[in-house]
Amino acid sequence: METSSHNDFKPYNAATRAAHSHHQGIMTFFWGHNSEILFPGWPGNDSCMYALALVFVFVLAVLVEWLSYGNLVKPETNNVAAGLMKTAIYTLRSGLAYMVMLAVMSFNGGVFLVAVAGHAVGYVIFGSRAFKKSCGSSGPGSARRAGAQTNLPSTKC
């Protein structure tokens, strides 16, 4: 009868996670650059590719916020054209948001942190009042900008 000792410990990397996840459903965060994000084998074991993957997820999260809060359809646009454009933007936003969600589901701690940071930075730039003109500003369209609504429905439940 074989016994296992603490000396038999093997590192728990992405390959080990993949082998066990089908059987045991392991879903815990882990830290490190040896992971798989969005696509099989990407970024792999390369630290530079991992850094690129983190930048990619960050940019995706910022884009989701830009599409959520940006006024991309002009008010004078034909109703049918505006409706089609808003539908296309909404579809793109949903797809990008799902990609961020799937990246986070890699359970890599770094990916989770950059996704949250990307959403936060995107909100500060596009959704908050931090970079918007004050209500007292004058000029063409200032009244519309002061009470501007987003083009798309909220992502809140």
Side-chain angles (χ1 to χ4, degrees), residues 20-98:
H20 290 285
S21 65
H22 296 294
H23 303 290
Q24 299 172 355
I26 297 171
M27 292 189 225
T28 58
F29 279 107
F30 69 98
W31 299 94
H33 69 274
N34 185 12
S35 62
E36 227 173 49
I37 304 166
L38 294 176
F39 307 105
W42 188 69
N45 298 326
D46 187 6
S47 296
C48 293
M49 289 303 290
Y50 177 70
L52 179 65
L54 294 180
V55 169
F56 181 72
V57 171
F58 180 85
V59 170
L60 280 178
V62 171
L63 283 173
V64 167
E65 296 301 319
W66 175 63
L67 291 171
S68 296
Y69 293 103
N71 290 318
L72 304 174
V73 180
K74 304 292 182 206
E76 61 273 359
T77 306
N78 175 305
N79 284 344
V80 173
L84 291 173
M85 288 172 29
K86 286 181 181 182
T87 300
I89 293 168
Y90 180 82
T91 303
L92 179 61
R93 179 186 78 174
S94 296
L96 294 177
Y98 278 123

Side-chain angles (χ1 to χ4, degrees), residues 6 9 11 13 23 33 40 50 59 61 63 65 68 71 74 87-88 102 105 107 114 118 124 145 151-152:
H6 69 282
F9 177 76
N13 60 22
H23 303 290
H33 69 274
Y50 177 70
V59 170
L63 283 173
E65 296 301 319
S68 296
N71 290 318
K74 304 292 182 206
T87 300
L102 288 172
M105 288 176 63
F107 293 101
V114 298
V124 166
R145 278 194 307 271
N151 280 328
L152 301 175

Side-chain angles (χ1 to χ4, degrees), residues 1-13 16 20:
M1 180 191 303
E2 272 186 46
T3 60
S4 177
S5 71
H6 69 282
N7 294 332
D8 295 335
F9 177 76
K10 294 179 182 162
Y12 197 66
N13 60 22
T16 306
H20 290 285

